[in-house]
Amino acid sequence: MKIKDVQEILKAELLCGDSCVDNDVEGYFACDLISEMLLHMKPSSLLVTSLLNAHVVHTAHVMDVSGVVFVAGKKPDETIIANARQNAIPLLSTSYLMYESCGKLYVSGIGISLENTDPVSGD
């Protein structure tokens, strides 16, 4: 699936990343904790979050994600959008809540993407 497909599924506004709408999305990860993103998110995943700070884009860049979806109609400020644009990370905003967004992605065939499913044992 591609970012442009996610945009359609979630009826999302593309905030930046016009040149990245053909990025492959291999799964999604929904989270509002940076530490959990760093622990569990796989490369080429879609990050679904309601967290609006610069750390989200930095984490997305470090983790090599396909894009970031902000839920509940949230939109980051222009500084964050400019940082994402500079790092070629598409940002989308949807009015759906996180639960609804994840359900719509799952039903559309995008699976949950976890790197490490057992944080206690590391397995």
Side-chain angles (χ1 to χ4, degrees), residues 77-100:
D77 66 33
E78 192 53 46
T79 305
I80 294 170
I81 293 171
N83 187 11
R85 193 176 289 123
Q86 180 180 0
N87 289 296
I89 300 169
L91 300 182
L92 298 100
S93 175
T94 182
S95 61
Y96 293 121
L97 299 176
M98 189 178 297
Y99 179 80
E100 295 170 300

mmCIF file with all atom_site columns, all heavy atoms in Angstrom, residues 77-100:
data_model
loop_
_atom_site.group_PDB
_atom_site.id
_atom_site.type_symbol
_atom_site.label_atom_id
_atom_site.label_alt_id
_atom_site.label_comp_id
_atom_site.label_asym_id
_atom_site.label_entity_id
_atom_site.label_seq_id
_atom_site.pdbx_PDB_ins_code
_atom_site.Cartn_x
_atom_site.Cartn_y
_atom_site.Cartn_z
_atom_site.occupancy
_atom_site.B_iso_or_equiv
_atom_site.pdbx_formal_charge
_atom_site.auth_seq_id
_atom_site.auth_comp_id
_atom_site.auth_asym_id
_atom_site.auth_atom_id
_atom_site.pdbx_PDB_model_num
ATOM 1   N N   . ASP A 1 77  ? 2.745   22.451 14.092 1.00 0.00 ? 77  ASP A N   1
ATOM 2   C CA  . ASP A 1 77  ? 3.034   23.821 13.668 1.00 0.00 ? 77  ASP A CA  1
ATOM 3   C C   . ASP A 1 77  ? 3.971   23.810 12.460 1.00 0.00 ? 77  ASP A C   1
ATOM 4   O O   . ASP A 1 77  ? 4.514   22.776 12.075 1.00 0.00 ? 77  ASP A O   1
ATOM 5   C CB  . ASP A 1 77  ? 3.585   24.663 14.823 1.00 0.00 ? 77  ASP A CB  1
ATOM 6   C CG  . ASP A 1 77  ? 4.946   24.201 15.319 1.00 0.00 ? 77  ASP A CG  1
ATOM 7   O OD1 . ASP A 1 77  ? 5.769   23.696 14.531 1.00 0.00 ? 77  ASP A OD1 1
ATOM 8   O OD2 . ASP A 1 77  ? 5.204   24.362 16.526 1.00 0.00 ? 77  ASP A OD2 1
ATOM 9   N N   . GLU A 1 78  ? 4.154   24.972 11.882 1.00 0.00 ? 78  GLU A N   1
ATOM 10  C CA  . GLU A 1 78  ? 4.916   25.093 10.635 1.00 0.00 ? 78  GLU A CA  1
ATOM 11  C C   . GLU A 1 78  ? 6.372   24.668 10.785 1.00 0.00 ? 78  GLU A C   1
ATOM 12  O O   . GLU A 1 78  ? 6.975   24.156 9.839  1.00 0.00 ? 78  GLU A O   1
ATOM 13  C CB  . GLU A 1 78  ? 4.824   26.521 10.102 1.00 0.00 ? 78  GLU A CB  1
ATOM 14  C CG  . GLU A 1 78  ? 5.339   26.676 8.688  1.00 0.00 ? 78  GLU A CG  1
ATOM 15  C CD  . GLU A 1 78  ? 4.706   25.700 7.681  1.00 0.00 ? 78  GLU A CD  1
ATOM 16  O OE1 . GLU A 1 78  ? 3.487   25.536 7.684  1.00 0.00 ? 78  GLU A OE1 1
ATOM 17  O OE2 . GLU A 1 78  ? 5.475   25.095 6.884  1.00 0.00 ? 78  GLU A OE2 1
ATOM 18  N N   . THR A 1 79  ? 6.957   24.832 11.964 1.00 0.00 ? 79  THR A N   1
ATOM 19  C CA  . THR A 1 79  ? 8.340   24.410 12.194 1.00 0.00 ? 79  THR A CA  1
ATOM 20  C C   . THR A 1 79  ? 8.479   22.901 12.037 1.00 0.00 ? 79  THR A C   1
ATOM 21  O O   . THR A 1 79  ? 9.425   22.408 11.414 1.00 0.00 ? 79  THR A O   1
ATOM 22  C CB  . THR A 1 79  ? 8.803   24.837 13.611 1.00 0.00 ? 79  THR A CB  1
ATOM 23  O OG1 . THR A 1 79  ? 8.611   26.226 13.764 1.00 0.00 ? 79  THR A OG1 1
ATOM 24  C CG2 . THR A 1 79  ? 10.251  24.475 13.841 1.00 0.00 ? 79  THR A CG2 1
ATOM 25  N N   . ILE A 1 80  ? 7.533   22.175 12.588 1.00 0.00 ? 80  ILE A N   1
ATOM 26  C CA  . ILE A 1 80  ? 7.545   20.711 12.498 1.00 0.00 ? 80  ILE A CA  1
ATOM 27  C C   . ILE A 1 80  ? 7.302   20.266 11.057 1.00 0.00 ? 80  ILE A C   1
ATOM 28  O O   . ILE A 1 80  ? 7.965   19.359 10.552 1.00 0.00 ? 80  ILE A O   1
ATOM 29  C CB  . ILE A 1 80  ? 6.508   20.103 13.468 1.00 0.00 ? 80  ILE A CB  1
ATOM 30  C CG1 . ILE A 1 80  ? 6.933   20.406 14.914 1.00 0.00 ? 80  ILE A CG1 1
ATOM 31  C CG2 . ILE A 1 80  ? 6.342   18.610 13.237 1.00 0.00 ? 80  ILE A CG2 1
ATOM 32  C CD1 . ILE A 1 80  ? 5.891   20.084 15.957 1.00 0.00 ? 80  ILE A CD1 1
ATOM 33  N N   . ILE A 1 81  ? 6.379   20.925 10.384 1.00 0.00 ? 81  ILE A N   1
ATOM 34  C CA  . ILE A 1 81  ? 6.106   20.598 8.979  1.00 0.00 ? 81  ILE A CA  1
ATOM 35  C C   . ILE A 1 81  ? 7.345   20.863 8.124  1.00 0.00 ? 81  ILE A C   1
ATOM 36  O O   . ILE A 1 81  ? 7.701   20.048 7.272  1.00 0.00 ? 81  ILE A O   1
ATOM 37  C CB  . ILE A 1 81  ? 4.880   21.375 8.462  1.00 0.00 ? 81  ILE A CB  1
ATOM 38  C CG1 . ILE A 1 81  ? 3.614   20.895 9.181  1.00 0.00 ? 81  ILE A CG1 1
ATOM 39  C CG2 . ILE A 1 81  ? 4.735   21.222 6.954  1.00 0.00 ? 81  ILE A CG2 1
ATOM 40  C CD1 . ILE A 1 81  ? 2.375   21.730 8.900  1.00 0.00 ? 81  ILE A CD1 1
ATOM 41  N N   . ALA A 1 82  ? 8.027   21.975 8.367  1.00 0.00 ? 82  ALA A N   1
ATOM 42  C CA  . ALA A 1 82  ? 9.241   22.297 7.611  1.00 0.00 ? 82  ALA A CA  1
ATOM 43  C C   . ALA A 1 82  ? 10.331  21.258 7.843  1.00 0.00 ? 82  ALA A C   1
ATOM 44  O O   . ALA A 1 82  ? 11.037  20.863 6.902  1.00 0.00 ? 82  ALA A O   1
ATOM 45  C CB  . ALA A 1 82  ? 9.742   23.683 7.990  1.00 0.00 ? 82  ALA A CB  1
ATOM 46  N N   . ASN A 1 83  ? 10.461  20.785 9.078  1.00 0.00 ? 83  ASN A N   1
ATOM 47  C CA  . ASN A 1 83  ? 11.447  19.751 9.398  1.00 0.00 ? 83  ASN A CA  1
ATOM 48  C C   . ASN A 1 83  ? 11.115  18.452 8.659  1.00 0.00 ? 83  ASN A C   1
ATOM 49  O O   . ASN A 1 83  ? 12.003  17.789 8.117  1.00 0.00 ? 83  ASN A O   1
ATOM 50  C CB  . ASN A 1 83  ? 11.490  19.532 10.911 1.00 0.00 ? 83  ASN A CB  1
ATOM 51  C CG  . ASN A 1 83  ? 12.600  18.612 11.349 1.00 0.00 ? 83  ASN A CG  1
ATOM 52  O OD1 . ASN A 1 83  ? 13.483  18.260 10.579 1.00 0.00 ? 83  ASN A OD1 1
ATOM 53  N ND2 . ASN A 1 83  ? 12.561  18.221 12.605 1.00 0.00 ? 83  ASN A ND2 1
ATOM 54  N N   . ALA A 1 84  ? 9.841   18.095 8.637  1.00 0.00 ? 84  ALA A N   1
ATOM 55  C CA  . ALA A 1 84  ? 9.422   16.886 7.921  1.00 0.00 ? 84  ALA A CA  1
ATOM 56  C C   . ALA A 1 84  ? 9.678   17.032 6.426  1.00 0.00 ? 84  ALA A C   1
ATOM 57  O O   . ALA A 1 84  ? 10.146  16.104 5.765  1.00 0.00 ? 84  ALA A O   1
ATOM 58  C CB  . ALA A 1 84  ? 7.948   16.603 8.184  1.00 0.00 ? 84  ALA A CB  1
ATOM 59  N N   . ARG A 1 85  ? 9.372   18.202 5.889  1.00 0.00 ? 85  ARG A N   1
ATOM 60  C CA  . ARG A 1 85  ? 9.604   18.470 4.468  1.00 0.00 ? 85  ARG A CA  1
ATOM 61  C C   . ARG A 1 85  ? 11.089  18.310 4.132  1.00 0.00 ? 85  ARG A C   1
ATOM 62  O O   . ARG A 1 85  ? 11.458  17.701 3.138  1.00 0.00 ? 85  ARG A O   1
ATOM 63  C CB  . ARG A 1 85  ? 9.107   19.874 4.128  1.00 0.00 ? 85  ARG A CB  1
ATOM 64  C CG  . ARG A 1 85  ? 9.003   20.167 2.662  1.00 0.00 ? 85  ARG A CG  1
ATOM 65  C CD  . ARG A 1 85  ? 8.396   21.551 2.402  1.00 0.00 ? 85  ARG A CD  1
ATOM 66  N NE  . ARG A 1 85  ? 6.973   21.562 2.737  1.00 0.00 ? 85  ARG A NE  1
ATOM 67  C CZ  . ARG A 1 85  ? 6.403   22.385 3.617  1.00 0.00 ? 85  ARG A CZ  1
ATOM 68  N NH1 . ARG A 1 85  ? 7.109   23.293 4.255  1.00 0.00 ? 85  ARG A NH1 1
ATOM 69  N NH2 . ARG A 1 85  ? 5.100   22.317 3.845  1.00 0.00 ? 85  ARG A NH2 1
ATOM 70  N N   . GLN A 1 86  ? 11.952  18.843 4.992  1.00 0.00 ? 86  GLN A N   1
ATOM 71  C CA  . GLN A 1 86  ? 13.399  18.765 4.791  1.00 0.00 ? 86  GLN A CA  1
ATOM 72  C C   . GLN A 1 86  ? 13.885  17.325 4.819  1.00 0.00 ? 86  GLN A C   1
ATOM 73  O O   . GLN A 1 86  ? 14.824  16.965 4.108  1.00 0.00 ? 86  GLN A O   1
ATOM 74  C CB  . GLN A 1 86  ? 14.112  19.571 5.875  1.00 0.00 ? 86  GLN A CB  1
ATOM 75  C CG  . GLN A 1 86  ? 15.617  19.569 5.768  1.00 0.00 ? 86  GLN A CG  1
ATOM 76  C CD  . GLN A 1 86  ? 16.260  20.395 6.875  1.00 0.00 ? 86  GLN A CD  1
ATOM 77  O OE1 . GLN A 1 86  ? 15.591  20.975 7.722  1.00 0.00 ? 86  GLN A OE1 1
ATOM 78  N NE2 . GLN A 1 86  ? 17.573  20.446 6.856  1.00 0.00 ? 86  GLN A NE2 1
ATOM 79  N N   . ASN A 1 87  ? 13.239  16.472 5.620  1.00 0.00 ? 87  ASN A N   1
ATOM 80  C CA  . ASN A 1 87  ? 13.637  15.068 5.742  1.00 0.00 ? 87  ASN A CA  1
ATOM 81  C C   . ASN A 1 87  ? 12.811  14.130 4.869  1.00 0.00 ? 87  ASN A C   1
ATOM 82  O O   . ASN A 1 87  ? 12.912  12.913 5.017  1.00 0.00 ? 87  ASN A O   1
ATOM 83  C CB  . ASN A 1 87  ? 13.557  14.639 7.207  1.00 0.00 ? 87  ASN A CB  1
ATOM 84  C CG  . ASN A 1 87  ? 14.641  15.261 8.041  1.00 0.00 ? 87  ASN A CG  1
ATOM 85  O OD1 . ASN A 1 87  ? 15.818  14.999 7.830  1.00 0.00 ? 87  ASN A OD1 1
ATOM 86  N ND2 . ASN A 1 87  ? 14.258  16.125 8.969  1.00 0.00 ? 87  ASN A ND2 1
ATOM 87  N N   . ALA A 1 88  ? 11.999  14.695 3.980  1.00 0.00 ? 88  ALA A N   1
ATOM 88  C CA  . ALA A 1 88  ? 11.167  13.915 3.054  1.00 0.00 ? 88  ALA A CA  1
ATOM 89  C C   . ALA A 1 88  ? 10.270  12.914 3.779  1.00 0.00 ? 88  ALA A C   1
ATOM 90  O O   . ALA A 1 88  ? 10.174  11.747 3.401  1.00 0.00 ? 88  ALA A O   1
ATOM 91  C CB  . ALA A 1 88  ? 12.032  13.224 2.007  1.00 0.00 ? 88  ALA A CB  1
ATOM 92  N N   . ILE A 1 89  ? 9.610   13.392 4.828  1.00 0.00 ? 89  ILE A N   1
ATOM 93  C CA  . ILE A 1 89  ? 8.667   12.565 5.582  1.00 0.00 ? 89  ILE A CA  1
ATOM 94  C C   . ILE A 1 89  ? 7.275   13.132 5.357  1.00 0.00 ? 89  ILE A C   1
ATOM 95  O O   . ILE A 1 89  ? 6.985   14.262 5.771  1.00 0.00 ? 89  ILE A O   1
ATOM 96  C CB  . ILE A 1 89  ? 8.985   12.569 7.089  1.00 0.00 ? 89  ILE A CB  1
ATOM 97  C CG1 . ILE A 1 89  ? 10.385  12.020 7.332  1.00 0.00 ? 89  ILE A CG1 1
ATOM 98  C CG2 . ILE A 1 89  ? 7.937   11.780 7.865  1.00 0.00 ? 89  ILE A CG2 1
ATOM 99  C CD1 . ILE A 1 89  ? 10.893  12.233 8.736  1.00 0.00 ? 89  ILE A CD1 1
ATOM 100 N N   . PRO A 1 90  ? 6.408   12.385 4.696  1.00 0.00 ? 90  PRO A N   1
ATOM 101 C CA  . PRO A 1 90  ? 5.048   12.889 4.490  1.00 0.00 ? 90  PRO A CA  1
ATOM 102 C C   . PRO A 1 90  ? 4.271   12.937 5.805  1.00 0.00 ? 90  PRO A C   1
ATOM 103 O O   . PRO A 1 90  ? 4.339   12.002 6.605  1.00 0.00 ? 90  PRO A O   1
ATOM 104 C CB  . PRO A 1 90  ? 4.427   11.893 3.512  1.00 0.00 ? 90  PRO A CB  1
ATOM 105 C CG  . PRO A 1 90  ? 5.291   10.690 3.555  1.00 0.00 ? 90  PRO A CG  1
ATOM 106 C CD  . PRO A 1 90  ? 6.627   11.090 4.063  1.00 0.00 ? 90  PRO A CD  1
ATOM 107 N N   . LEU A 1 91  ? 3.570   14.035 6.004  1.00 0.00 ? 91  LEU A N   1
ATOM 108 C CA  . LEU A 1 91  ? 2.720   14.205 7.181  1.00 0.00 ? 91  LEU A CA  1
ATOM 109 C C   . LEU A 1 91  ? 1.278   14.319 6.725  1.00 0.00 ? 91  LEU A C   1
ATOM 110 O O   . LEU A 1 91  ? 0.984   15.052 5.784  1.00 0.00 ? 91  LEU A O   1
ATOM 111 C CB  . LEU A 1 91  ? 3.092   15.468 7.954  1.00 0.00 ? 91  LEU A CB  1
ATOM 112 C CG  . LEU A 1 91  ? 4.502   15.593 8.501  1.00 0.00 ? 91  LEU A CG  1
ATOM 113 C CD1 . LEU A 1 91  ? 4.649   16.907 9.273  1.00 0.00 ? 91  LEU A CD1 1
ATOM 114 C CD2 . LEU A 1 91  ? 4.861   14.418 9.390  1.00 0.00 ? 91  LEU A CD2 1
ATOM 115 N N   . LEU A 1 92  ? 0.403   13.588 7.416  1.00 0.00 ? 92  LEU A N   1
ATOM 116 C CA  . LEU A 1 92  ? -1.022  13.643 7.123  1.00 0.00 ? 92  LEU A CA  1
ATOM 117 C C   . LEU A 1 92  ? -1.780  13.958 8.403  1.00 0.00 ? 92  LEU A C   1
ATOM 118 O O   . LEU A 1 92  ? -1.306  13.663 9.501  1.00 0.00 ? 92  LEU A O   1
ATOM 119 C CB  . LEU A 1 92  ? -1.514  12.308 6.566  1.00 0.00 ? 92  LEU A CB  1
ATOM 120 C CG  . LEU A 1 92  ? -0.897  11.853 5.260  1.00 0.00 ? 92  LEU A CG  1
ATOM 121 C CD1 . LEU A 1 92  ? 0.182   10.831 5.522  1.00 0.00 ? 92  LEU A CD1 1
ATOM 122 C CD2 . LEU A 1 92  ? -1.940  11.275 4.356  1.00 0.00 ? 92  LEU A CD2 1
ATOM 123 N N   . SER A 1 93  ? -2.957  14.525 8.246  1.00 0.00 ? 93  SER A N   1
ATOM 124 C CA  . SER A 1 93  ? -3.826  14.795 9.379  1.00 0.00 ? 93  SER A CA  1
ATOM 125 C C   . SER A 1 93  ? -5.219  14.264 9.047  1.00 0.00 ? 93  SER A C   1
ATOM 126 O O   . SER A 1 93  ? -5.764  14.571 7.991  1.00 0.00 ? 93  SER A O   1
ATOM 127 C CB  . SER A 1 93  ? -3.891  16.297 9.659  1.00 0.00 ? 93  SER A CB  1
ATOM 128 O OG  . SER A 1 93  ? -4.818  16.563 10.690 1.00 0.00 ? 93  SER A OG  1
ATOM 129 N N   . THR A 1 94  ? -5.767  13.467 9.961  1.00 0.00 ? 94  THR A N   1
ATOM 130 C CA  . THR A 1 94  ? -7.108  12.919 9.782  1.00 0.00 ? 94  THR A CA  1
ATOM 131 C C   . THR A 1 94  ? -7.994  13.326 10.952 1.00 0.00 ? 94  THR A C   1
ATOM 132 O O   . THR A 1 94  ? -7.511  13.497 12.073 1.00 0.00 ? 94  THR A O   1
ATOM 133 C CB  . THR A 1 94  ? -7.089  11.387 9.648  1.00 0.00 ? 94  THR A CB  1
ATOM 134 O OG1 . THR A 1 94  ? -8.418  10.913 9.435  1.00 0.00 ? 94  THR A OG1 1
ATOM 135 C CG2 . THR A 1 94  ? -6.505  10.697 10.867 1.00 0.00 ? 94  THR A CG2 1
ATOM 136 N N   . SER A 1 95  ? -9.267  13.444 10.696 1.00 0.00 ? 95  SER A N   1
ATOM 137 C CA  . SER A 1 95  ? -10.200 13.782 11.775 1.00 0.00 ? 95  SER A CA  1
ATOM 138 C C   . SER A 1 95  ? -10.575 12.547 12.599 1.00 0.00 ? 95  SER A C   1
ATOM 139 O O   . SER A 1 95  ? -11.121 12.673 13.692 1.00 0.00 ? 95  SER A O   1
ATOM 140 C CB  . SER A 1 95  ? -11.464 14.429 11.211 1.00 0.00 ? 95  SER A CB  1
ATOM 141 O OG  . SER A 1 95  ? -12.115 13.538 10.333 1.00 0.00 ? 95  SER A OG  1
ATOM 142 N N   . TYR A 1 96  ? -10.267 11.368 12.086 1.00 0.00 ? 96  TYR A N   1
ATOM 143 C CA  . TYR A 1 96  ? -10.555 10.140 12.835 1.00 0.00 ? 96  TYR A CA  1
ATOM 144 C C   . TYR A 1 96  ? -9.698  10.068 14.097 1.00 0.00 ? 96  TYR A C   1
ATOM 145 O O   . TYR A 1 96  ? -8.550  10.521 14.113 1.00 0.00 ? 96  TYR A O   1
ATOM 146 C CB  . TYR A 1 96  ? -10.293 8.893  11.991 1.00 0.00 ? 96  TYR A CB  1
ATOM 147 C CG  . TYR A 1 96  ? -11.226 8.725  10.822 1.00 0.00 ? 96  TYR A CG  1
ATOM 148 C CD1 . TYR A 1 96  ? -10.725 8.658  9.528  1.00 0.00 ? 96  TYR A CD1 1
ATOM 149 C CD2 . TYR A 1 96  ? -12.595 8.627  11.001 1.00 0.00 ? 96  TYR A CD2 1
ATOM 150 C CE1 . TYR A 1 96  ? -11.565 8.498  8.443  1.00 0.00 ? 96  TYR A CE1 1
ATOM 151 C CE2 . TYR A 1 96  ? -13.453 8.465  9.912  1.00 0.00 ? 96  TYR A CE2 1
ATOM 152 C CZ  . TYR A 1 96  ? -12.926 8.404  8.644  1.00 0.00 ? 96  TYR A CZ  1
ATOM 153 O OH  . TYR A 1 96  ? -13.766 8.247  7.572  1.00 0.00 ? 96  TYR A OH  1
ATOM 154 N N   . LEU A 1 97  ? -10.240 9.475  15.148 1.00 0.00 ? 97  LEU A N   1
ATOM 155 C CA  . LEU A 1 97  ? -9.470  9.213  16.358 1.00 0.00 ? 97  LEU A CA  1
ATOM 156 C C   . LEU A 1 97  ? -8.485  8.083  16.096 1.00 0.00 ? 97  LEU A C   1
ATOM 157 O O   . LEU A 1 97  ? -8.577  7.387  15.073 1.00 0.00 ? 97  LEU A O   1
ATOM 158 C CB  . LEU A 1 97  ? -10.401 8.847  17.511 1.00 0.00 ? 97  LEU A CB  1
ATOM 159 C CG  . LEU A 1 97  ? -11.417 9.919  17.918 1.00 0.00 ? 97  LEU A CG  1
ATOM 160 C CD1 . LEU A 1 97  ? -12.347 9.386  18.997 1.00 0.00 ? 97  LEU A CD1 1
ATOM 161 C CD2 . LEU A 1 97  ? -10.702 11.176 18.377 1.00 0.00 ? 97  LEU A CD2 1
ATOM 162 N N   . MET A 1 98  ? -7.557  7.857  16.997 1.00 0.00 ? 98  MET A N   1
ATOM 163 C CA  . MET A 1 98  ? -6.546  6.829  16.795 1.00 0.00 ? 98  MET A CA  1
ATOM 164 C C   . MET A 1 98  ? -7.179  5.445  16.620 1.00 0.00 ? 98  MET A C   1
ATOM 165 O O   . MET A 1 98  ? -6.804  4.699  15.722 1.00 0.00 ? 98  MET A O   1
ATOM 166 C CB  . MET A 1 98  ? -5.537  6.804  17.938 1.00 0.00 ? 98  MET A CB  1
ATOM 167 C CG  . MET A 1 98  ? -4.347  5.895  17.635 1.00 0.00 ? 98  MET A CG  1
ATOM 168 S SD  . MET A 1 98  ? -3.076  5.835  18.895 1.00 0.00 ? 98  MET A SD  1
ATOM 169 C CE  . MET A 1 98  ? -2.504  7.500  18.929 1.00 0.00 ? 98  MET A CE  1
ATOM 170 N N   . TYR A 1 99  ? -8.130  5.118  17.467 1.00 0.00 ? 99  TYR A N   1
ATOM 171 C CA  . TYR A 1 99  ? -8.793  3.817  17.388 1.00 0.00 ? 99  TYR A CA  1
ATOM 172 C C   . TYR A 1 99  ? -9.455  3.612  16.024 1.00 0.00 ? 99  TYR A C   1
ATOM 173 O O   . TYR A 1 99  ? -9.300  2.576  15.390 1.00 0.00 ? 99  TYR A O   1
ATOM 174 C CB  . TYR A 1 99  ? -9.830  3.714  18.517 1.00 0.00 ? 99  TYR A CB  1
ATOM 175 C CG  . TYR A 1 99  ? -10.592 2.423  18.531 1.00 0.00 ? 99  TYR A CG  1
ATOM 176 C CD1 . TYR A 1 99  ? -10.032 1.277  19.071 1.00 0.00 ? 99  TYR A CD1 1
ATOM 177 C CD2 . TYR A 1 99  ? -11.884 2.356  18.003 1.00 0.00 ? 99  TYR A CD2 1
ATOM 178 C CE1 . TYR A 1 99  ? -10.735 0.080  19.088 1.00 0.00 ? 99  TYR A CE1 1
ATOM 179 C CE2 . TYR A 1 99  ? -12.591 1.169  18.018 1.00 0.00 ? 99  TYR A CE2 1
ATOM 180 C CZ  . TYR A 1 99  ? -12.012 0.036  18.558 1.00 0.00 ? 99  TYR A CZ  1
ATOM 181 O OH  . TYR A 1 99  ? -12.711 -1.141 18.563 1.00 0.00 ? 99  TYR A OH  1
ATOM 182 N N   . GLU A 1 100 ? -10.182 4.631  15.572 1.00 0.00 ? 100 GLU A N   1
ATOM 183 C CA  . GLU A 1 100 ? -10.856 4.552  14.266 1.00 0.00 ? 100 GLU A CA  1
ATOM 184 C C   . GLU A 1 100 ? -9.836  4.441  13.131 1.00 0.00 ? 100 GLU A C   1
ATOM 185 O O   . GLU A 1 100 ? -10.021 3.661  12.202 1.00 0.00 ? 100 GLU A O   1
ATOM 186 C CB  . GLU A 1 100 ? -11.707 5.796  14.028 1.00 0.00 ? 100 GLU A CB  1
ATOM 187 C CG  . GLU A 1 100 ? -12.876 5.958  14.973 1.00 0.00 ? 100 GLU A CG  1
ATOM 188 C CD  . GLU A 1 100 ? -13.516 7.325  14.821 1.00 0.00 ? 100 GLU A CD  1
ATOM 189 O OE1 . GLU A 1 100 ? -12.829 8.335  15.030 1.00 0.00 ? 100 GLU A OE1 1
ATOM 190 O OE2 . GLU A 1 100 ? -14.719 7.349  14.469 1.00 0.00 ? 100 GLU A OE2 1
#
